[in-house]
Amino acid sequence: MITPRRTANAGFNLQSSGADLLDENGQWKWPQAWYDLYPVLIGLSLELPSSQLQDQTVWKDLEGNHRHFSSLEVWHSIRTRDIPISWANMVWFSQCIPRHSFQLWLVIKNKLRTQDQLKVWEAGSETNLRLMCCPLCQHDRDSRDHLFFSCAFASQVWTNVKAMVDMASVTESWASISAWMDQHSNSKRLDQVVCKLVLAAATYFIWQERNNRLFSRLECSVIQVTEKIKNTVRLRLMDFKLQGHVDYNRVVKKWQIPVRALNEDPG
């Protein structure tokens, strides 16, 4: 890499132009030492610019188009690109609660430090592993698929909160929830936005309850966790501009939202 110090030592500065790199015969005049440090300069071809053009710096993107240089263009050129995922808009959307979305992202990626994940770290501690069980239901070792929402405790919470939205066909299995996300991720309908908020909040507060019981010895009942989820979603909905949506009356009535509230359009 040509460092600013080496550039300055060679007599160039921020005001130097392309013409400053050419001699009177139109040949490169790189410092001799640079050819040893940067052999690529030896084979660098030279296209003499028209005298009518203004000397300027340009950036060639991956498609070969000349663009104005910017950090954004650099990022697009060097970042790893992958196939778009179907659930992205399920997690990140304009009305989301960021900490809930981050939690849901971890759940989808199966990156939570659940007990089934810890077994990889504690391969030599079989006694401790056998003693592990789900802090919520006291049965089975907790895992992503168990906590969301096959666990007896989590299943009751999920049944309570999904009754608030149009998710009657979604069961307690993570496979059923994943299938629903794939189908509805890109929807911007008000009722589907509410479903997204409920699902993210449910994963957030179930995980929070699991950790509270495991590390703080604090316990909430099914009803208490359910109310946490409902109250959080209700408060978020109070920031929406609900008028004008076909589901307005049903959502306002279902979630008991005061008709005053509303300053953001979820569409």
Side-chain angles (χ1 to χ4, degrees), residues 36-264:
D36 297 327
L37 292 170
Y38 316 110
V40 67
L41 296 177
I42 298 174
L44 190 63
S45 62
L46 175 63
E47 296 180 9
L48 291 177
S50 168
S51 59
Q52 303 300 316
L53 296 178
Q54 182 180 0
D55 191 11
Q56 59 181 333
T57 302
V58 295
W59 174 267
K60 184 181 289 188
D61 63 19
L62 292 178
E63 286 74 37
N65 302 313
H66 289 118
R67 299 184 181 277
H68 175 70
F69 176 81
S70 68
S71 57
L72 177 63
E73 290 298 333
V74 174
W75 167 241
H76 283 316
S77 295
I78 66 175
R79 71 183 177 93
T80 301
R81 297 169 185 248
D82 208 339
I83 299 173
I85 50 178
S86 60
W87 47 260
N89 292 327
M90 180 72 213
V91 177
W92 310 110
F93 54 101
S94 60
Q95 304 83 23
C96 72
I97 300 173
R99 64 182 182 276
H100 293 185
S101 291
F102 181 70
Q103 169 72 21
L104 181 57
W105 176 73
L106 291 175
V107 173
I108 293 173
K109 299 289 285 183
N110 199 14
K111 294 297 184 180
L112 295 175
R113 295 307 181 201
T114 49
Q115 292 169 0
D116 65 322
Q117 300 279 12
L118 295 177
K119 68 182 181 182
V120 178
W121 299 353
E122 300 187 19
S125 304
E126 284 300 319
T127 301
N128 290 338
L129 288 175
R130 284 195 296 269
L131 293 175
M132 283 184 176
C133 64
C134 172
L136 299 178
C137 67
Q138 306 302 317
H139 294 285
D140 299 325
R141 188 177 296 160
D142 73 16
S143 64
R144 190 271 306 275
D145 290 14
H146 175 77
L147 288 171
F148 311 108
F149 298 96
S150 296
C151 160
F153 180 95
S155 176
Q156 293 180 65
V157 174
W158 176 241
T159 298
N160 290 343
V161 297
K162 77 174 184 177
M164 298 290 293
V165 290
D166 185 19
M167 298 183 75
S169 62
V170 183
T171 70
E172 291 77 19
S173 75
W174 185 251
S176 176
I177 294 167
S178 294
W180 185 91
M181 289 192 295
D182 287 340
Q183 183 178 356
H184 299 283
S185 176
N186 295 321
S187 176
K188 294 184 179 180
R189 286 172 43 193
L190 176 59
D191 58 341
Q192 300 299 334
V193 170
V194 180
C195 289
K196 296 178 185 182
L197 290 170
V198 167
L199 176 58
T203 62
Y204 180 87
F205 285 107
I206 287 293
W207 183 249
Q208 183 184 77
E209 179 64 18
R210 179 261 191 193
N211 288 340
N212 285 344
R213 294 188 178 202
L214 194 59
F215 302 115
S216 303
R217 305 299 180 186
L218 300 175
E219 292 190 15
C220 289
S221 66
V222 167
I223 296 301
Q224 288 173 318
V225 175
T226 298
E227 287 305 307
K228 285 183 182 180
I229 296 169
K230 290 181 178 180
N231 289 336
T232 301
V233 173
R234 182 180 297 110
L235 286 173
R236 186 68 187 93
L237 290 174
M238 288 174 64
D239 285 338
F240 285 14
K241 185 176 181 180
L242 300 178
Q243 295 93 332
H245 290 271
V246 294
D247 302 306
Y248 168 76
N249 291 329
R250 182 165 61 86
V251 170
V252 167
K253 181 178 180 180
K254 190 81 171 180
W255 290 90
Q256 300 177 351
I257 300 173
V259 183
R260 47 181 178 82
L262 315 168
N263 50 33
E264 182 182 335

